[in-house]
Amino acid sequence: MTVLEDSPFVRACRGLSVPHTPVWFMRQAGRSLPEYRKIREGVGMLESCRRPELVTEITLQPVRRHNVDAAILFSDIVVPIAAAGIDLDIVAGTGPVVAEPVRTAADLGRLRPITPADVDFVTEAVKLLVAELGATPLIGFAGAPFTLASYLIEGGPSRTYLKTKAMMYGEPDLWNALLARLAEITLTFLRVQADAGVSAVQLFDSWAGALSEADYRRYVMPHSANVLRGLLDLGVPRIHFGVGTAVLLEAMGEAGADVVGVDWRTPLDVAAKRIGPDRAVQGNLDPAILFAGLETVERETRRVLEQGRAAPGHVFNLGHGVMPETDPDVLTRLVALVHEASAR
């Protein structure tokens, strides 16, 4: 067994015994860190993702500062979509904005498959990071087909997903063609990261919580399953995460996840019962608790750790990403607390 395979993070993903519950944070590299804000000055988000040495430094920042058990590649879920020929920008304070939304069969023609050469900067960044990280695992990631489709169809972030759902219900052939293309792009993007040396991958279906279970199973799950199934031969743990997905947890596990990420709304012991006995869980401290004082942070952290014992493996995380206003020192203390409180 390699050092990375024997790391607490990878072992927890596989449901094996661990010396302590591993911890990392979604958005651990980002605006909560002053060193991140400094290094990103004057550099756009997409451009930042395309500079391997900058990606390496940003990815390493929270590992140095917080002593987390895993790094996650600094990137964005729309990076492969931009590589596929879509004109988009990541606008500060808004998120991804698509110049010409994808709403017709003709529009779909603008979204071409990608090759590893289209994202060679990712390969370079991952190789640099694996060399720097040593015994600390690196997590690769991508956006799931539904979440990517929602950005492409709406033209940007949405609260209602009206145009997305209108296509899903009203034009199922176009919908399935779009999601099949996005699944192909996503799978290529994740395989590039795995081939370059990441130790696990996370598929973010951030907005899947906008769907009922029946609609998820009918319109979305087959495409996410194709992505996750396409990674099976690589042997890396596959994490599947969404927000507001309490009714979808069982299905998201069935789609092919080894680990199901759980947002803060569902207790981990309840989630573990829904997901089933053969999958690990990840989560799920409410990010807002980090603003409530250290006594509250400690109490709630111990609760999450206790509830996580119901699953065969538990990776501690927040129930969504780190808020930009979070005090980095609180995150550092939280990592130490998780390690101390869960020591076996």
Side-chain angles (χ1 to χ4, degrees):
M1 185 177 283
T2 66
V3 172
L4 290 168
E5 279 287 312
D6 203 36
S7 66
F9 168 73
V10 173
R11 289 184 65 86
C13 288
R14 300 195 189 286
L16 302 174
S17 61
V18 289
H20 61 260
T21 300
V23 52
W24 70 278
F25 305 114
M26 291 178 280
R27 293 200 204 117
Q28 63 188 16
R31 287 174 292 171
S32 65
L33 299 181
E35 57 265 42
Y36 169 83
R37 294 194 295 270
K38 182 176 180 181
I39 202 171
R40 274 285 318 280
E41 281 178 3
V43 186
M45 180 63 183
L46 269 177
E47 177 61 23
S48 299
C49 297
R50 293 171 176 148
R51 296 187 185 180
E53 291 182 355
L54 185 59
V55 168
T56 300
E57 171 58 25
I58 292 172
T59 303
L60 290 171
Q61 285 176 348
V63 180
R64 293 192 200 109
R65 182 186 270 263
H66 302 315
N67 194 32
V68 285
D69 292 282
I72 183 164
L73 179 70
F74 176 75
S75 187
D76 191 275
I77 64 169
V78 299
V79 165
I81 302 306
I86 296 298
D87 182 7
L88 59 83
D89 192 18
I90 302 173
V91 179
T94 300
V97 175
V98 179
E100 296 178 64
V102 174
R103 293 173 185 163
T104 67
D107 292 334
L108 182 56
R110 292 188 281 113
L111 184 69
R112 61 174 177 79
I114 65 171
T115 68
D118 292 317
V119 288
D120 55 359
F121 51 89
V122 172
T123 297
E124 187 178 343
V126 170
K127 288 182 175 178
L128 287 171
L129 276 162
V130 169
E132 288 282 343
L133 284 164
T136 302
L138 177 64
I139 304 166
F141 77 93
F146 173 80
T147 292
L148 294 176
S150 73
Y151 280 116
L152 288 175
I153 297 166
E154 302 290 342
S158 173
R159 293 182 182 276
T160 59
Y161 308 98
L162 290 179
K163 295 180 178 68
T164 304
K165 290 185 174 184
M167 182 191 292
M168 186 178 78
Y169 293 129
E171 300 180 82
D173 290 344
L174 177 58
W175 172 261
N176 283 311
L178 173 58
L179 265 72
R181 175 64 52 82
L182 289 169
E184 181 184 0
I185 290 167
T186 297
L187 178 57
T188 299
F189 191 56
L190 288 172
R191 288 191 69 93
V192 162
Q193 295 172 63
D195 288 341
V198 300
S199 294
V201 294
Q202 177 155 312
L203 189 65
F204 282 88
D205 211 351
S206 307
W207 311 133
L211 301 170
S212 70
E213 183 183 5
D215 286 344
Y216 176 83
R217 286 183 178 275
R218 178 177 179 182
Y219 295 108
V220 175
M221 183 174 160
H223 301 286
S224 293
N226 283 341
V227 175
L228 293 165
R229 190 181 307 115
L231 300 165
L232 191 58
D233 65 302
L234 298 174
V236 296
R238 299 157 299 168
I239 309 168
H240 201 8
F241 173 75
V243 182
T245 52
V247 299
L248 306 181
L249 290 172
E250 184 179 0
M252 290 179 76
E254 288 175 22
D258 303 297
V259 185
V260 178
V262 184
D263 77 7
W264 69 92
R265 297 168 178 87
T266 309
L268 286 182
D269 50 353
V270 174
K273 288 178 184 175
R274 293 179 188 169
I275 294 163
D278 55 346
R279 293 180 180 89
V281 296
Q282 179 176 279
N284 69 341
L285 189 72
D286 186 336
I289 284 171
L290 300 179
F291 298 83
L294 291 175
E295 187 177 326
T296 303
V297 170
E298 178 169 352
R299 183 185 71 241
E300 293 301 303
T301 296
R302 291 181 184 278
R303 174 185 60 79
V304 170
L305 287 169
E306 183 58 37
Q307 291 171 343
R309 296 182 195 277
H314 176 210
V315 176
F316 191 98
N317 208 310
L318 302 181
H320 200 190
V322 174
M323 302 281 196
E325 305 86 358
T326 305
D327 180 352
D329 290 343
V330 175
L331 286 173
T332 304
R333 288 188 174 203
L334 176 54
V335 174
L337 172 62
V338 170
H339 289 166
E340 179 188 340
S342 66
R344 314 281 199 266

